[in-house]
Amino acid sequence: MTPRPPSSVPGPQNRRPRTPTAEQPPRTPPASPASPAKKTATAKAAAKPTKKPAREEPAGRVGTAVVPALGAGDRERLSAGTHHDPHAVLGAHPVADGVVFRAFRPYALSVAVVTDELRAELHDDGGGFFSALLPLRDVPAYRLCVTYEGAVHETEDAYRFLPALGELDLHLIGEGRHEQLWRALGAEPMTHQDVPGTRFTVWAPNARGVRLAGGFNFWDGTGHPMRSLGSSGVWELFVPGIGEGELYKFEITPRHGDRFLKADPMARRTEVPPATASIVHTSHHEWGDDAWLAHRGDIPVHEAPFSVYEVHLPSWRPGLTYRQLADELPAYARDLGFTHVELMPVAEHPFGGSWGYQVTGYYAPTARLGTPDDFKHLIDTLHQTGIGVLMDWVPAHFPRDDWALAHFDGEPLYEHADPLRAAHPDWGTLEFDLGRHEVRNFLVANAVYWCEQFHIDGLRVDAVASMLYLDYSRKPGQWTPNEHGGRENLDAVAFLQEMNTTVHRHCPGVVTTAEESTAWDGVTRPTHNGGLGFGLKWNMGWMHDSLQYMQHQPVHRTHHHHEMTFSLAYAHSENYILPISHDETVHGKHSLVSKMPGDRWQQHADHRAYLAFMWAHPGKQLLFMGQEFAQTTEWSDTHGPDWWLLDPAHPTEPHHRGTRDLVRDLNTLYRTTPALWQRDTHPTGFQWILPDAADDNVLAFLRLDANGTPLLSVSHFSPLVRHDYRLGVPHDIPAWHEALNTDNARYGGSDVVHPHPVEPEPRGLHGRPASIRLTLPPLATVWLRPA
């Protein structure tokens, strides 16, 4: 049978490899890419070996002679995949009478030891085992010449190498403190004992045995058993001649049941789903964003301009790769004035319909759009364009796919052993056992990995509330209180604090953001003061209340005025970001503009007024793709935004293009107006002018920078035009200039604007010594600055 090269071997399904029988000859393993097969004269001579009777006597001495063949116990454990230390019995071992050589090469016809001075055939002991005692003083530098039916391969012996993982690494793994875990576990191409190859390591403490399967051995791990590195639970094998691009999985023999294949939890690259194999990877990307990294932490994020464009990469421009996206996304985000893009999860996930929120490959960007280096190129380009990159990170749960993390070594490992604690009640997934220090280490190191290796500027941590509460979505009897009798998940609190502390220590300038929907105290408080240590928190209360208000007809909004003012009562209790995210534009919630009542004109006017109110409100801003041009339909991950709405030939194009122009102007004014961001987290940065004009549907307030320079924001959520509307203002401003008006004709409005400066009158109002008179446009927000 002619062997297929590794590149043509499809990714394995989660099943045991078929064992060849006498009627079905074994396939010949391919030559290693790093060490092509060499057919020397001696190798050709060995192509037709004389088979010797199998020997089953145990290794050791019979009388005074050393017997090199393995005993029945070792043979059985190696064949069954349950040997914890194959290196102790395979390879070359000095004995009193010379050096014993043993090899386990299933399906081989013969095996010979080759050095510079000699070539010696090993005895065929049967069952794929070969051995010989050679009268040598020391173990020489040797290779194995392996003959299969129709092919001869000369290769290094994987079982002559010392462990390629150091004691310090094992100690840190055991302590759960290896902050660069990806350098110790997974597949690491390297030169070990002067030989190029790849070190494979995996944490599987409950396994009886672990073997390596891949394209290089036709997904039959029988001949590649790994060794256990003691109490660490880590298994290791250095395979010479294997390099980047090779497909692999770990073949695990559990304590109970049949063995199975698992993808590498630490894989840095994967096959394109639905294929599930891991791929050996080495990065060759050369970064060009030194200037960006040197200055991204100059100003603390809560005191800096921060407006975010949320993107689902696979559907932003469907069909584009990471590199193609790098040609379009940075320029688009920069043109609209956003400071950052936030990428919905990019870590590998099997089901595209999960949008990346059910992760199986925590250390690999999804292969759907390209390689890890392609993804680095996208981030690098964004940085060089002046755009920061945030990434959604999902440590709360993982899917149950049997080839991935679930029951990884045959028993609960990454998930909690208690089924009630392990099962996530809402999403059919499993929750991480955050009380296990190795699991915490896996996640903490993963957060550092994305920020350090991919230059990510921030992590938005998904579903924090589901982690913090033991009774989250659980009924009485489905959860157990903590040691203090409370419902707080103390393990999750400790994990989040450790993650934030570690990330900020390793990667200065990186911001972490919590999607936390409750009133948990101290989400953005420093950990040394008892907080969770996040830099920002999504203000889910503002989002819920304000959208509920906007969905009412203007005539009814007077009865819901508090839904727009309540957020200002707690706006400075945390460092907030105001999110209009993907969650608000799916599952029947409609797009942002479609939430608004009234006819098309009123919907677009409300949409514009709401965006300007959002940009003026204390806190940072996040807007999901498509909402920047008033996407009319719900978002779909299969086709993305309706870009055709911007076509000049479309009948409602002026509204959509006008909204995009508004967003550009909002971001431009925002970045150049410190009053809108400099004191977001300080009460001194905000002052009410008119909080209680419910009957008029009006909200007016001042934003102030560190020097006290104000910006006046007036929102009018009624379709009427209100003439001579008087508002109290500070006395020391000689005139006010209209900086922005969402009713401007260029945005699609009715053009009720203030073309000339507005001068105060010495008539006190709203607790102010002076006042101004404005004409309030219908369904509009107006910004005024000192002229």
Side-chain angles (χ1 to χ4, degrees), residues 301-451:
V301 65
H302 60 280
E303 297 176 356
F306 193 88
S307 59
V308 183
Y309 183 55
E310 188 187 23
V311 176
H312 179 252
L313 284 177
S315 68
W316 185 72
R317 294 281 191 181
L320 297 190
T321 65
Y322 291 127
R323 290 188 178 271
Q324 291 167 332
L325 285 163
D327 294 332
E328 297 194 26
L329 179 59
Y332 184 79
R334 181 173 183 173
D335 174 64
L336 291 185
F338 288 99
T339 66
H340 292 73
V341 297
E342 180 173 310
L343 308 179
M344 290 169 65
V346 296
E348 194 58 270
H349 49 283
F351 176 48
S354 76
W355 312 330
Y357 289 98
Q358 295 193 3
V359 180
T360 51
Y362 275 80
Y363 284 78
T366 180
R368 293 170 174 85
L369 306 180
T371 69
D373 277 3
D374 294 337
F375 182 51
K376 289 180 178 180
H377 173 74
L378 171 59
I379 297 169
D380 205 351
T381 306
L382 283 160
H383 282 171
Q384 293 182 52
T385 310
I387 305 297
V389 183
L390 315 175
M391 187 185 83
D392 277 15
W393 187 56
V394 192
H397 64 118
F398 58 93
R400 296 174 179 264
D401 299 72
D402 55 9
W403 50 268
L405 294 179
H407 275 66
F408 183 77
D409 56 6
E411 315 216 1
L413 188 64
Y414 289 91
E415 67 270 39
H416 204 283
D418 180 351
L420 290 179
R421 288 284 302 274
H424 197 289
D426 289 344
W427 303 316
T429 52
L430 296 170
E431 297 184 11
F432 283 101
D433 182 3
L434 299 176
R436 185 162 193 163
H437 55 260
E438 297 96 338
V439 175
R440 284 204 311 272
N441 192 177
F442 172 80
L443 292 170
V444 170
N446 184 244
V448 175
Y449 172 76
W450 289 107
C451 298

Side-chain angles (χ1 to χ4, degrees), residues 638-714:
T638 59
H639 70 256
D642 292 332
W643 297 106
W644 53 270
L645 291 172
L646 296 170
D647 186 339
H650 192 270
T652 62
E653 180 277 331
H655 287 296
H656 299 290
R657 190 176 293 270
T659 299
R660 190 172 66 173
D661 290 342
L662 170 67
V663 169
R664 182 187 296 109
D665 290 350
L666 285 171
N667 278 325
T668 300
L669 285 167
Y670 171 75
R671 296 178 77 159
T672 58
T673 308
L676 290 173
W677 44 263
Q678 196 172 59
R679 302 188 69 77
D680 264 333
T681 61
H682 296 272
T684 54
F686 176 88
Q687 293 179 10
W688 273 116
I689 295 293
L690 192 58
D692 54 358
D695 292 340
D696 298 333
N697 297 352
V698 172
L699 300 103
F701 53 81
L702 294 174
R703 298 296 311 278
L704 301 102
D705 64 19
N707 297 319
T709 303
L711 178 137
L712 173 60
S713 175
V714 184

